[in-house]
Amino acid sequence: MDPSTATRPRSAAFRPPGNALEEENDMSADTDTQTTTVYRVTGMTCGHCEGAVTGELSALAGVSSVKAVAATGEVTVVSAAPLDEAAVRAAVDEAGYEFAGQA
């Protein structure tokens, strides 16, 4: 058998994509175990600012995603558990911006 045409066995975890409803349900199941918190950060004016805040907050233990938006001053953080507000404040301060609490 030519190795370039051989099919590789699928792992037990492989599941071909289903319909959109199944995929939506799969995503909601993943977020049920996570916490999403929106914070206010002042002083962000551009993409570089967003990147600096995102980088510092992403380094916190348990954080899986961060979305900073300079235009609104809002930063959405998804984490495994609620974050310690002092740790969030310190991360934002380290990035060079002011933490203004939860939105």
Side-chain angles (χ1 to χ4, degrees):
M1 175 184 252
D2 179 4
S4 66
T5 60
T7 58
R8 295 170 51 191
R10 294 181 178 173
S11 71
F14 176 81
R15 183 174 58 131
N19 64 37
L21 182 57
E22 286 177 11
E23 290 174 10
E24 182 178 319
N25 288 342
D26 287 347
M27 289 178 63
S28 65
D30 290 342
T31 57
D32 286 344
T33 60
Q34 296 186 344
T35 300
T36 301
T37 310
V38 180
Y39 299 102
R40 300 271 309 142
V41 174
T42 60
M44 295 188 299
T45 59
C46 64
H48 176 356
C49 301
E50 293 169 348
V53 170
T54 297
E56 290 297 330
L57 290 172
S58 293
L60 295 177
V63 171
S64 58
S65 73
V66 178
K67 174 70 176 168
V69 180
T72 62
E74 291 187 346
V75 181
T76 303
V77 180
V78 178
S79 56
L83 298 174
D84 176 59
E85 192 169 291
V88 174
R89 181 180 303 278
V92 170
D93 185 58
E94 183 66 27
Y97 303 92
E98 185 176 337
F99 177 77
Q102 287 192 23

Coordinates of all heavy atoms in Angstrom, one line a residue:
M1 N 0.8 -1.2 0.0 CA 0.0 0.0 0.0 C 0.9 1.2 0.0 O 1.8 1.3 0.7 CB -0.9 0.0 1.2 CG -1.7 1.2 1.4 SD -2.7 1.2 2.9 CE -4.3 0.9 2.2
D2 N 0.5 2.2 -0.8 CA 1.3 3.5 -0.9 C 1.0 4.3 0.3 O -0.2 4.6 0.6 CB 0.9 4.2 -2.2 CG 1.6 5.5 -2.4 OD1 2.5 5.8 -1.6 OD2 1.2 6.2 -3.3
P3 N 2.0 4.7 1.1 CA 1.8 5.4 2.3 C 1.1 6.8 2.1 O 0.4 7.3 3.0 CB 3.2 5.6 2.9 CG 4.1 4.8 2.2 CD 3.4 4.4 0.9
S4 N 1.3 7.4 1.0 CA 0.7 8.7 0.7 C -0.8 8.6 0.5 O -1.5 9.6 0.7 CB 1.3 9.4 -0.5 OG 1.1 8.6 -1.7
T5 N -1.3 7.4 0.2 CA -2.8 7.3 0.0 C -3.4 6.5 1.1 O -4.7 6.4 1.1 CB -3.1 6.6 -1.3 OG1 -2.5 5.3 -1.3 CG2 -2.5 7.4 -2.5
A6 N -2.7 6.0 2.1 CA -3.2 5.3 3.2 C -4.0 6.2 4.1 O -3.6 7.4 4.3 CB -2.1 4.6 4.0
T7 N -5.1 5.8 4.6 CA -5.9 6.6 5.6 C -5.4 6.3 6.9 O -5.1 5.1 7.3 CB -7.4 6.3 5.4 OG1 -7.6 5.0 5.7 CG2 -7.9 6.7 4.1
R8 N -5.3 7.3 7.7 CA -4.9 7.1 9.1 C -6.1 6.8 10.0 O -7.2 7.3 9.7 CB -4.2 8.4 9.6 CG -3.0 8.7 8.9 CD -2.4 10.0 9.2 NE -2.3 10.3 10.6 CZ -2.1 11.5 11.1 NH1 -1.9 12.5 10.4 NH2 -2.0 11.6 12.4
P9 N -5.9 5.9 10.9 CA -7.1 5.5 11.8 C -7.5 6.8 12.6 O -6.6 7.6 13.0 CB -6.5 4.4 12.7 CG -5.1 4.5 12.6 CD -4.7 5.1 11.3
R10 N -8.7 6.9 12.8 CA -9.3 8.0 13.6 C -9.1 7.7 15.1 O -9.4 6.6 15.5 CB -10.7 8.3 13.2 CG -10.9 8.8 11.8 CD -12.3 9.1 11.6 NE -12.5 9.6 10.2 CZ -13.6 9.8 9.6 NH1 -14.7 9.5 10.2 NH2 -13.7 10.2 8.4
S11 N -8.8 8.7 15.8 CA -8.7 8.5 17.3 C -10.1 8.4 17.8 O -11.1 8.8 17.2 CB -8.0 9.7 17.9 OG -8.8 10.8 17.9
A12 N -10.2 7.9 19.0 CA -11.5 7.7 19.7 C -12.2 9.1 19.9 O -13.4 9.2 20.0 CB -11.4 7.0 21.0
A13 N -11.3 10.1 20.1 CA -11.9 11.5 20.3 C -12.4 12.2 19.1 O -13.1 13.2 19.2 CB -10.8 12.3 21.0
F14 N -12.0 11.7 17.9 CA -12.4 12.3 16.7 C -13.9 12.2 16.5 O -14.5 11.1 16.6 CB -11.7 11.7 15.5 CG -12.2 12.3 14.2 CD1 -11.7 13.6 13.8 CD2 -13.1 11.7 13.4 CE1 -12.2 14.1 12.6 CE2 -13.6 12.2 12.2 CZ -13.1 13.4 11.8
R15 N -14.6 13.3 16.1 CA -16.0 13.2 15.8 C -16.2 14.2 14.6 O -15.9 15.3 14.7 CB -16.8 13.7 17.0 CG -18.3 13.6 16.8 CD -19.0 14.0 18.0 NE -18.6 15.3 18.5 CZ -19.5 16.3 18.8 NH1 -20.7 16.0 18.8 NH2 -19.1 17.4 19.2
P16 N -16.7 13.6 13.5 CA -16.9 14.5 12.4 C -17.9 15.6 12.7 O -18.8 15.4 13.6 CB -17.4 13.6 11.3 CG -17.7 12.3 11.9 CD -17.1 12.3 13.3
P17 N -17.8 16.7 12.1 CA -18.7 17.8 12.5 C -20.1 17.4 12.1 O -20.4 16.8 11.1 CB -18.2 19.0 11.6 CG -17.3 18.4 10.6 CD -16.8 17.1 11.1
G18 N -21.0 17.8 13.0 CA -22.4 17.6 12.9 C -23.1 18.8 12.3 O -22.5 19.7 11.7
N19 N -24.4 18.9 12.6 CA -25.1 20.1 12.1 C -24.8 21.3 13.0 O -24.2 21.1 14.1 CB -26.6 19.8 12.0 CG -27.2 19.5 13.4 OD1 -26.8 20.1 14.4 ND2 -28.2 18.6 13.4
A20 N -25.2 22.5 12.6 CA -24.9 23.7 13.4 C -25.5 23.6 14.8 O -24.8 24.1 15.7 CB -25.4 24.9 12.6
L21 N -26.6 23.0 15.0 CA -27.2 23.0 16.3 C -26.3 22.2 17.2 O -26.1 22.6 18.4 CB -28.6 22.4 16.2 CG -29.4 22.3 17.6 CD1 -29.5 23.7 18.2 CD2 -30.7 21.7 17.4
E22 N -25.8 21.0 16.8 CA -24.9 20.2 17.6 C -23.7 21.0 18.0 O -23.3 21.0 19.1 CB -24.5 18.9 16.9 CG -25.6 17.9 16.8 CD -25.2 16.7 16.0 OE1 -24.0 16.6 15.7 OE2 -26.0 15.9 15.6
E23 N -23.1 21.7 17.0 CA -21.9 22.5 17.3 C -22.2 23.6 18.3 O -21.4 23.9 19.2 CB -21.3 23.1 16.0 CG -20.8 22.0 15.1 CD -20.3 22.5 13.7 OE1 -20.3 23.7 13.6 OE2 -20.0 21.7 12.9
E24 N -23.4 24.3 18.2 CA -23.7 25.3 19.1 C -23.9 24.7 20.5 O -23.4 25.3 21.5 CB -25.0 26.0 18.7 CG -25.5 27.1 19.6 CD -26.7 27.8 19.1 OE1 -26.9 28.0 17.9 OE2 -27.6 28.1 20.0
N25 N -24.5 23.6 20.6 CA -24.7 22.9 21.9 C -23.3 22.5 22.5 O -23.1 22.7 23.7 CB -25.6 21.7 21.8 CG -27.0 22.1 21.6 OD1 -27.4 23.2 21.8 ND2 -27.8 21.1 21.1
D26 N -22.4 22.1 21.7 CA -21.1 21.7 22.1 C -20.4 22.9 22.7 O -19.7 22.9 23.8 CB -20.2 21.1 21.0 CG -20.6 19.7 20.6 OD1 -21.4 19.1 21.4 OD2 -20.2 19.2 19.6
M27 N -20.5 24.1 22.1 CA -19.9 25.3 22.5 C -20.5 25.8 23.9 O -19.8 26.2 24.8 CB -20.0 26.4 21.5 CG -19.1 26.2 20.3 SD -19.3 27.4 19.1 CE -18.7 28.9 19.9
S28 N -21.8 25.7 24.0 CA -22.4 26.1 25.2 C -22.0 25.2 26.4 O -21.9 25.7 27.5 CB -23.9 26.2 25.1 OG -24.5 24.9 24.8
A29 N -21.8 24.0 26.1 CA -21.4 23.0 27.2 C -20.0 23.4 27.7 O -19.8 23.3 28.9 CB -21.4 21.6 26.6
D30 N -19.1 23.9 26.8 CA -17.8 24.3 27.2 C -17.8 25.5 28.1 O -17.0 25.6 29.0 CB -16.9 24.5 26.0 CG -16.5 23.2 25.3 OD1 -16.7 22.1 25.9 OD2 -16.1 23.3 24.1
T31 N -18.7 26.5 27.8 CA -18.7 27.7 28.5 C -19.5 27.6 29.8 O -19.4 28.5 30.6 CB -19.3 28.9 27.6 OG1 -20.6 28.5 27.2 CG2 -18.5 29.2 26.4
D32 N -20.3 26.5 30.0 CA -21.0 26.4 31.3 C -20.0 26.2 32.4 O -20.4 26.6 33.6 CB -21.9 25.1 31.2 CG -23.1 25.3 30.4 OD1 -23.4 26.5 30.1 OD2 -23.8 24.4 30.0
T33 N -18.8 25.8 32.2 CA -17.9 25.5 33.3 C -16.9 26.7 33.4 O -16.0 26.6 34.2 CB -17.1 24.2 33.1 OG1 -16.4 24.4 31.9 CG2 -18.0 23.0 33.1
Q34 N -17.1 27.8 32.7 CA -16.2 28.9 32.7 C -17.0 30.2 33.2 O -18.2 30.2 33.1 CB -15.6 29.2 31.4 CG -14.7 28.0 31.0 CD -14.0 28.3 29.7 OE1 -14.3 29.2 28.9 NE2 -13.0 27.5 29.4
T35 N -16.2 31.2 33.6 CA -16.8 32.4 34.1 C -16.4 33.5 33.1 O -15.2 33.6 32.7 CB -16.2 32.8 35.5 OG1 -16.6 31.7 36.4 CG2 -16.7 34.1 36.0
T36 N -17.4 34.3 32.7 CA -17.1 35.4 31.8 C -17.4 36.7 32.6 O -18.5 36.9 33.2 CB -18.0 35.4 30.5 OG1 -17.7 34.2 29.8 CG2 -17.7 36.6 29.7
T37 N -16.4 37.6 32.7 CA -16.5 38.8 33.4 C -16.1 40.0 32.5 O -15.1 39.9 31.8 CB -15.6 38.8 34.7 OG1 -15.9 37.6 35.4 CG2 -15.9 40.0 35.6
V38 N -16.8 41.1 32.6 CA -16.5 42.3 31.8 C -16.0 43.3 32.8 O -16.7 43.6 33.8 CB -17.7 42.8 31.0 CG1 -17.3 44.0 30.2 CG2 -18.2 41.7 30.1
Y39 N -14.8 43.9 32.5 CA -14.2 44.9 33.3 C -14.1 46.2 32.5 O -14.1 46.2 31.3 CB -12.8 44.5 33.7 CG -12.7 43.2 34.6 CD1 -12.3 42.0 34.0 CD2 -13.0 43.2 35.9 CE1 -12.3 40.8 34.7 CE2 -13.0 42.0 36.7 CZ -12.6 40.9 36.1 OH -12.5 39.7 36.8
R40 N -14.0 47.3 33.3 CA -13.8 48.6 32.7 C -12.3 49.0 32.9 O -11.8 48.9 34.0 CB -14.7 49.7 33.3 CG -16.1 49.4 33.2 CD -16.8 50.0 32.0 NE -16.5 51.4 31.8 CZ -16.3 51.9 30.6 NH1 -16.4 51.2 29.5 NH2 -16.1 53.2 30.5
V41 N -11.7 49.4 31.8 CA -10.3 49.8 31.9 C -10.2 51.2 31.2 O -10.6 51.3 30.1 CB -9.3 48.8 31.2 CG1 -7.9 49.3 31.2 CG2 -9.4 47.5 31.9
T42 N -9.6 52.2 31.9 CA -9.5 53.5 31.3 C -8.1 53.7 30.8 O -7.1 53.1 31.3 CB -9.8 54.6 32.3 OG1 -9.0 54.5 33.4 CG2 -11.3 54.5 32.8
G43 N -8.0 54.6 29.7 CA -6.7 54.9 29.2 C -6.3 54.2 27.9 O -5.4 54.6 27.2
M44 N -7.1 53.2 27.5 CA -6.8 52.5 26.2 C -7.3 53.3 25.1 O -8.4 53.8 25.1 CB -7.5 51.1 26.2 CG -7.0 50.1 27.2 SD -7.8 48.5 26.9 CE -9.5 48.8 27.1
T45 N -6.4 53.5 24.1 CA -6.8 54.3 22.9 C -6.6 53.7 21.6 O -7.1 54.2 20.6 CB -6.0 55.7 22.9 OG1 -4.6 55.4 22.9 CG2 -6.3 56.5 24.2
C46 N -5.9 52.5 21.6 CA -5.6 51.9 20.3 C -5.4 50.4 20.4 O -5.5 49.9 21.5 CB -4.3 52.6 19.7 SG -2.9 52.3 20.7
G47 N -5.1 49.8 19.3 CA -4.8 48.4 19.3 C -3.6 48.0 20.1 O -3.6 46.9 20.7
H48 N -2.6 48.8 20.2 CA -1.5 48.5 21.0 C -1.9 48.4 22.5 O -1.5 47.5 23.3 CB -0.4 49.5 20.8 CG 0.8 49.3 21.7 ND1 0.9 48.4 22.7 CD2 2.0 50.0 21.8 CE1 2.1 48.5 23.3 NE2 2.8 49.4 22.8
C49 N -2.7 49.4 22.9 CA -3.2 49.4 24.3 C -4.0 48.1 24.6 O -3.8 47.5 25.6 CB -4.2 50.5 24.5 SG -3.5 52.2 24.2
E50 N -4.9 47.7 23.6 CA -5.6 46.5 23.8 C -4.7 45.3 23.9 O -4.9 44.4 24.8 CB -6.5 46.3 22.5 CG -7.6 47.3 22.4 CD -8.3 47.2 21.0 OE1 -7.8 46.5 20.1 OE2 -9.4 47.9 20.9
G51 N -3.7 45.2 23.1 CA -2.7 44.1 23.2 C -2.0 44.1 24.5 O -1.7 43.0 25.1
A52 N -1.6 45.2 25.1 CA -0.9 45.3 26.3 C -1.8 44.7 27.5 O -1.3 43.9 28.3 CB -0.4 46.7 26.6
V53 N -3.0 45.2 27.5 CA -4.0 44.7 28.5 C -4.2 43.2 28.3 O -4.2 42.5 29.3 CB -5.2 45.6 28.5 CG1 -6.3 45.0 29.4 CG2 -5.0 47.0 28.9
T54 N -4.5 42.8 27.1 CA -4.8 41.4 26.8 C -3.6 40.5 27.3 O -3.8 39.5 27.9 CB -5.0 41.2 25.3 OG1 -6.2 41.9 25.0 CG2 -5.2 39.8 25.0
G55 N -2.4 41.0 27.0 CA -1.2 40.2 27.3 C -1.1 40.0 28.8 O -0.8 38.9 29.3
E56 N -1.3 41.0 29.6 CA -1.1 40.9 31.0 C -2.2 40.1 31.7 O -2.0 39.2 32.5 CB -1.1 42.3 31.7 CG 0.2 43.1 31.4 CD 1.4 42.5 32.0 OE1 1.4 41.8 33.0 OE2 2.5 42.7 31.4
L57 N -3.5 40.3 31.2 CA -4.6 39.5 31.8 C -4.5 38.0 31.4 O -4.9 37.2 32.1 CB -5.9 40.1 31.4 CG -6.2 41.5 32.1 CD1 -7.5 42.1 31.5 CD2 -6.4 41.3 33.6
S58 N -4.0 37.8 30.2 CA -3.9 36.4 29.7 C -2.9 35.6 30.5 O -3.0 34.4 30.6 CB -3.5 36.4 28.2 OG -4.5 36.9 27.4
A59 N -2.0 36.3 31.2 CA -1.0 35.6 32.0 C -1.5 35.2 33.3 O -0.9 34.4 34.0 CB 0.2 36.5 32.2
L60 N -2.7 35.6 33.7 CA -3.3 35.2 35.0 C -3.7 33.8 35.0 O -4.2 33.3 33.9 CB -4.5 36.1 35.4 CG -4.2 37.6 35.6 CD1 -5.5 38.3 35.9 CD2 -3.2 37.8 36.8
A61 N -3.5 33.1 36.0 CA -3.9 31.6 36.1 C -5.4 31.4 35.9 O -6.2 32.2 36.5 CB -3.5 31.1 37.5
G62 N -5.7 30.5 35.0 CA -7.1 30.2 34.8 C -7.8 30.9 33.7 O -8.9 30.6 33.3
V63 N -7.1 31.9 33.1 CA -7.7 32.7 32.0 C -7.5 32.0 30.7 O -6.4 31.6 30.4 CB -7.0 34.1 32.0 CG1 -7.5 34.9 30.7 CG2 -7.3 34.9 33.2
S64 N -8.7 31.9 30.0 CA -8.6 31.2 28.7 C -8.8 32.1 27.5 O -8.3 31.8 26.5 CB -9.7 30.1 28.7 OG -11.0 30.7 28.9
S65 N -9.4 33.3 27.7 CA -9.4 34.3 26.7 C -9.6 35.7 27.2 O -10.3 35.8 28.3 CB -10.5 33.9 25.6 OG -11.8 34.2 26.1
V66 N -9.2 36.7 26.5 CA -9.3 38.1 26.8 C -9.6 38.8 25.5 O -9.0 38.6 24.5 CB -8.0 38.6 27.5 CG1 -8.2 40.1 27.8 CG2 -7.6 37.9 28.7
K67 N -10.6 39.7 25.6 CA -10.9 40.6 24.5 C -11.0 42.0 25.0 O -12.0 42.3 25.8 CB -12.3 40.2 23.9 CG -12.8 41.1 22.8 CD -11.9 41.0 21.6 CE -12.6 41.9 20.5 NZ -11.7 42.1 19.4
A68 N -10.1 42.9 24.7 CA -10.1 44.3 25.1 C -10.5 45.1 23.9 O -10.1 44.9 22.8 CB -8.7 44.7 25.5
V69 N -11.4 46.1 24.2 CA -11.9 47.0 23.2 C -11.6 48.4 23.6 O -12.3 48.9 24.6 CB -13.4 46.8 22.9 CG1 -13.9 47.7 21.8 CG2 -13.6 45.3 22.5
A70 N -10.6 49.1 23.0 CA -10.3 50.4 23.4 C -11.4 51.4 23.3 O -11.6 52.3 24.1 CB -9.1 50.9 22.6
A71 N -12.2 51.3 22.2 CA -13.3 52.2 22.0 C -14.3 52.3 23.1 O -14.9 53.4 23.4 CB -14.0 51.9 20.6
T72 N -14.5 51.2 23.8 CA -15.5 51.1 24.8 C -14.9 51.1 26.2 O -15.6 51.3 27.2 CB -16.4 49.9 24.7 OG1 -15.6 48.7 24.8 CG2 -17.2 49.9 23.4
G73 N -13.6 50.8 26.3 CA -12.9 50.6 27.5 C -13.3 49.3 28.3 O -13.0 49.2 29.4
E74 N -13.9 48.4 27.5 CA -14.4 47.2 28.1 C -13.4 46.0 27.8 O -12.9 45.9 26.7 CB -15.8 46.8 27.7 CG -16.8 47.7 28.3 CD -18.2 47.2 28.0 OE1 -18.4 46.4 27.1 OE2 -19.1 47.8 28.6
V75 N -13.2 45.2 28.8 CA -12.3 44.0 28.6 C -13.1 42.8 29.1 O -13.5 42.8 30.3 CB -11.0 44.2 29.5 CG1 -10.1 43.0 29.3 CG2 -10.2 45.4 29.1
T76 N -13.3 41.9 28.2 CA -14.1 40.7 28.6 C -13.0 39.5 28.8 O -12.2 39.3 28.0 CB -15.0 40.3 27.4 OG1 -15.9 41.4 27.2 CG2 -15.8 39.0 27.8
V77 N -13.1 38.9 30.0 CA -12.2 37.9 30.4 C -13.0 36.6 30.6 O -14.0 36.6 31.4 CB -11.4 38.2 31.6 CG1 -10.5 37.1 32.0 CG2 -10.7 39.6 31.4
V78 N -12.6 35.5 30.0 CA -13.2 34.2 30.2 C -12.1 33.4 31.0 O -11.0 33.3 30.6 CB -13.5 33.5 28.9 CG1 -14.1 32.1 29.2 CG2 -14.5 34.3 28.1
S79 N -12.6 32.8 32.2 CA -11.7 32.1 33.0 C -12.3 30.9 33.6 O -13.5 30.8 33.6 CB -11.2 33.0 34.2 OG -12.3 33.6 34.9
A80 N -11.5 30.0 34.2 CA -12.0 28.8 34.7 C -12.8 29.0 36.0 O -13.7 28.2 36.3 CB -10.8 27.8 35.0
A81 N -12.5 30.1 36.7 CA -13.2 30.4 37.9 C -13.2 32.0 38.1 O -12.4 32.6 37.4 CB -12.5 29.8 39.1
P82 N -14.0 32.5 38.9 CA -13.9 34.0 39.1 C -12.5 34.4 39.5 O -11.8 33.7 40.3 CB -14.9 34.3 40.2 CG -15.9 33.1 40.1 CD -15.1 31.9 39.7
L83 N -12.0 35.5 39.0 CA -10.7 36.0 39.2 C -10.7 36.9 40.5 O -11.7 37.6 40.8 CB -10.1 36.8 38.0 CG -10.0 36.0 36.8 CD1 -9.6 36.9 35.6 CD2 -9.0 34.8 36.9
D84 N -9.6 36.9 41.2 CA -9.3 37.8 42.3 C -9.2 39.2 41.7 O -8.4 39.5 40.8 CB -8.1 37.4 43.0 CG -7.7 38.4 44.1 OD1 -8.6 38.6 45.0 OD2 -6.6 39.0 44.1
E85 N -10.1 40.2 42.2 CA -10.1 41.5 41.6 C -8.7 42.2 41.8 O -8.3 43.0 40.9 CB -11.2 42.3 42.2 CG -11.4 43.7 41.5 CD -12.7 44.4 41.9 OE1 -13.7 43.9 41.6 OE2 -12.5 45.4 42.5
A86 N -8.0 41.9 42.9 CA -6.7 42.5 43.1 C -5.7 42.1 42.1 O -4.9 42.9 41.6 CB -6.2 42.2 44.5
A87 N -5.8 40.8 41.6 CA -4.9 40.3 40.6 C -5.2 40.9 39.3 O -4.3 41.3 38.5 CB -5.0 38.8 40.5
V88 N -6.5 41.2 39.0 CA -6.9 41.8 37.7 C -6.4 43.3 37.7 O -5.8 43.7 36.8 CB -8.4 41.7 37.5 CG1 -8.8 42.6 36.3 CG2 -8.9 40.3 37.4
R89 N -6.6 43.9 38.9 CA -6.1 45.3 39.0 C -4.6 45.4 38.8 O -4.1 46.3 38.1 CB -6.5 45.9 40.4 CG -6.1 47.3 40.6 CD -6.6 47.8 42.0 NE -8.0 47.7 42.2 CZ -8.9 48.6 41.8 NH1 -8.5 49.6 41.1 NH2 -10.2 48.4 42.1
A90 N -3.9 44.5 39.4 CA -2.4 44.5 39.3 C -2.0 44.3 37.8 O -1.0 44.9 37.4 CB -1.8 43.5 40.2
A91 N -2.7 43.4 37.1 CA -2.3 43.1 35.7 C -2.6 44.3 34.9 O -1.8 44.6 34.0 CB -3.1 41.9 35.3
V92 N -3.7 44.9 35.1 CA -4.0 46.1 34.3 C -3.0 47.2 34.6 O -2.6 47.9 33.7 CB -5.5 46.6 34.5 CG1 -5.8 47.9 33.9 CG2 -6.5 45.5 34.0
D93 N -2.7 47.4 35.8 CA -1.7 48.4 36.3 C -0.3 48.1 35.6 O 0.3 49.0 35.1 CB -1.6 48.4 37.8 CG -0.6 49.5 38.3 OD1 -0.9 50.7 38.0 OD2 0.3 49.2 39.0
E94 N 0.0 46.8 35.6 CA 1.3 46.4 35.0 C 1.3 46.8 33.5 O 2.4 47.1 32.9 CB 1.6 44.9 35.2 CG 2.9 44.4 34.6 CD 4.1 45.0 35.3 OE1 4.0 45.4 36.5 OE2 5.1 45.1 34.7
A95 N 0.2 46.7 32.8 CA 0.1 47.0 31.4 C 0.1 48.6 31.2 O 0.3 49.0 30.1 CB -1.2 46.5 30.8
G96 N -0.1 49.3 32.3 CA 0.0 50.8 32.2 C -1.3 51.5 32.1 O -1.4 52.6 31.6
Y97 N -2.4 50.8 32.5 CA -3.7 51.4 32.4 C -4.4 51.4 33.8 O -3.9 50.8 34.7 CB -4.5 50.7 31.3 CG -3.8 50.8 30.0 CD1 -2.9 49.7 29.6 CD2 -3.9 51.9 29.2 CE1 -2.2 49.8 28.5 CE2 -3.2 52.0 28.0 CZ -2.3 51.0 27.7 OH -1.6 51.1 26.5
E98 N -5.6 52.0 33.8 CA -6.3 52.1 35.1 C -7.5 51.2 35.1 O -8.4 51.2 34.3 CB -6.7 53.5 35.4 CG -7.3 53.7 36.8 CD -7.7 55.1 37.1 OE1 -7.1 56.0 36.5 OE2 -8.6 55.3 37.9
F99 N -7.5 50.3 36.1 CA -8.6 49.4 36.3 C -9.8 50.2 37.0 O -9.6 50.8 38.0 CB -8.2 48.2 37.3 CG -9.3 47.3 37.6 CD1 -9.7 46.3 36.7 CD2 -9.9 47.3 38.9 CE1 -10.7 45.4 37.0 CE2 -10.8 46.4 39.2 CZ -11.3 45.4 38.3
A100 N -11.0 50.1 36.4 CA -12.1 50.9 36.9 C -13.2 50.0 37.4 O -14.4 50.4 37.6 CB -12.6 51.8 35.8
G101 N -12.9 48.7 37.7 CA -13.9 47.8 38.2 C -14.7 47.0 37.2 O -14.4 47.0 36.0
Q102 N -15.7 46.3 37.6 CA -16.5 45.5 36.7 C -17.5 46.4 35.9 O -17.9 47.4 36.5 CB -17.3 44.4 37.4 CG -16.4 43.3 37.9 CD -17.2 42.1 38.4 OE1 -18.3 41.9 38.0 NE2 -16.6 41.2 39.2
A103 N -17.7 46.1 34.7 CA -18.7 46.9 33.9 C -20.1 46.6 34.3 O -20.4 45.6 34.8 CB -18.4 46.6 32.4

